[in-house]
Amino acid sequence: ICQMSRIVALDYGGKRTGVAATDELQIIASPVDTIETSKLMDFLKQYIQKENVSDLVVGLSVRFSGELNEIENQIQPFLKKFEKEFPLIKIHRENEMFTSKMASRAMFEGGMKKKKRQEKGMVDKVSAVIILQSFLSHKL
């Protein structure tokens, strides 16, 4: 029997990281939370103890020129640490060039009130959902 598991996605940021996850059938991506990046590893350890997670998708921050953004200097050490901690969880990278813009637009078009849209963590969470949905769309 196929074991059901979730895919977790991160919109990794210098200060805050948006977290999203699929349902156990890996069909729907939903926002989980926005975490201070300094506390991200602890949050993931707790989450992964509770939930069966098979994959981690982390936004790949690329400029138009194709070079990687500075944030990659923080993402790389984080991924090494994650891999050591959770060797069975597969890590994927997903281009996130437009996710923040898309997240802002999605929240606006969804009728979210301006005050809610301006909450710091909201864009991060929605961006993580977009990264995850993008990953799911070409995984199938």
Side-chain angles (χ1 to χ4, degrees), residues 5-30:
S5 62
R6 296 178 192 277
I7 300 173
V8 172
L10 304 177
D11 179 28
Y12 194 97
K15 291 192 178 82
R16 291 179 316 274
T17 296
V19 182
T22 63
D23 57 308
E24 293 190 325
L25 297 173
Q26 301 182 356
I27 298 169
I28 301 162
S30 308

Side-chain angles (χ1 to χ4, degrees), residues 71-89:
I71 192 69
E72 279 298 315
N73 298 333
Q74 292 173 48
I75 293 176
Q76 289 304 325
F78 166 78
L79 290 178
K80 283 194 178 67
K81 208 167 133 187
F82 184 90
E83 216 169 358
K84 220 178 233 133
E85 189 74 38
F86 307 104
L88 300 176
I89 296 177

